[in-house]
Amino acid sequence: MPILFPAIDLKDGACVRLKLGLMDEATVYNADPAAQARSFQADGFSHLHVVDLNGAFAGTAINGEAVDAILTEVGGLMKVQLGGGIRTMADIERWLGKGLARVILGTVAVRDPDLVIEASRRFPGQIAVGIDAKGGKVAVEGWAETSELSAIELAKRFEDAGVAAIVYTDIDRDGVLAGINWEATIDLAEAVSIPVIASGGLASMADVVRLTMPDAARLEGAISGRALYDGRIDTKEALRVLGGDC
């Protein structure tokens, strides 16, 4: 059954949600990210999606202390995946050594695909590729730049590399509760054999139910941020719908 990943996006040490990926459109939901992680774990979630937003722009870890606190709190209880500012093999080794289940490589997947391939070989099952698309084109550097690559073109570069998953974000839907871009997400999932995680726009229980439909069977799951924080998703009901595997 699909997995629902609650999201913790870190900006200046706090748990926030952005609107359309704009750093100046941030809403602070919890000043204590570790407490937020503990709350998600207590609700019954088994996976957690964390992004270092400052790190994504800076190209290096900025919210490392907050991530460390999250891992101390729930690292042994939840499978935590982290993206944002992870650009070198040393970064990958350091974070996986701290107990992360996965690291998510975004900008470097465009800039240095060989690093992704080598990391996938060295750390099987622990490397995901983050593909963030705006207007159908892949965005990098914290979504500040847009490349000429399409999401499917980039995904196919890693088809046989051993990548554990692709986290696909529709930037135009992120943080605005417009619903997941199911057409683009399912098209991507059908174009490659790598499991795809939907991100951006999950708005309600209708999207959770949509995850269980036959044409979404190739999806590993979806990430939810604002809809969870705003109470638009009933956690117990979501767990029930998804068979308890959240």
Side-chain angles (χ1 to χ4, degrees):
M1 295 298 290
I3 299 164
L4 186 62
F5 297 77
I8 292 180
D9 289 357
L10 299 169
K11 179 178 184 288
D12 304 331
C15 175
V16 307
R17 293 303 297 168
L18 302 186
K19 182 178 180 181
L20 302 175
L22 301 173
M23 288 290 272
D24 58 356
E25 291 280 351
T27 301
V28 176
Y29 279 96
N30 197 326
D32 186 343
Q36 184 62 60
R38 183 170 62 250
S39 176
F40 283 140
Q41 190 275 326
D43 283 342
F45 292 101
S46 60
H47 294 69
L48 181 64
H49 177 77
V50 181
V51 179
D52 181 346
L53 294 172
N54 300 105
F57 282 92
T60 189
I62 301 297
N63 290 286
E65 289 185 7
V67 178
D68 286 343
I70 289 170
L71 288 173
T72 298
E73 193 68 41
V74 302
L77 302 170
M78 304 179 79
K79 293 181 178 180
V80 183
Q81 60 185 29
L82 172 69
I86 303 172
R87 307 283 170 85
T88 68
M89 188 66 76
D91 291 338
I92 295 167
E93 291 174 343
R94 179 168 59 87
W95 280 119
L96 291 178
K98 287 175 178 284
L100 286 172
R102 281 179 187 160
V103 295
I104 303 167
L105 306 179
T107 294
V108 75
V110 176
R111 306 282 196 232
D112 188 4
D114 287 343
L115 175 63
V116 178
I117 293 169
E118 175 62 15
S120 298
R121 184 189 67 79
R122 290 180 59 181
F123 303 104
Q126 293 186 285
I127 306 299
V129 169
I131 298 181
D132 307 326
K134 186 174 182 62
K137 299 296 184 180
V138 175
V140 295
E141 306 292 347
W143 301 353
E145 300 177 22
T146 304
S147 73
E148 291 303 310
L149 280 172
S150 73
I152 290 177
E153 287 173 330
L154 180 58
K156 284 187 173 181
R157 290 184 176 183
F158 304 107
E159 180 70 284
D160 299 314
V163 169
I166 290 171
V167 180
Y168 174 69
T169 303
D170 185 328
I171 297 172
D172 294 321
R173 306 247 181 159
D174 188 67
V176 297
L177 300 169
I180 289 172
N181 185 338
W182 290 104
E183 181 179 2
T185 303
I186 290 172
D187 282 350
L188 175 61
E190 291 179 344
V192 294
S193 60
I194 306 167
V196 172
I197 301 170
S199 175
L202 193 147
S204 67
M205 283 300 301
D207 283 319
V208 175
V209 172
R210 182 69 177 80
L211 274 172
T212 66
M213 296 296 101
D215 64 346
R218 292 182 61 83
L219 299 182
E220 180 175 301
I223 293 165
S224 178
R226 190 177 294 270
L228 275 174
Y229 290 108
D230 288 349
R232 294 168 182 264
I233 293 175
D234 182 299
T235 299
K236 289 183 178 180
E237 179 64 9
L239 283 164
R240 188 193 66 77
V241 169
L242 298 178
D245 186 13
C246 288

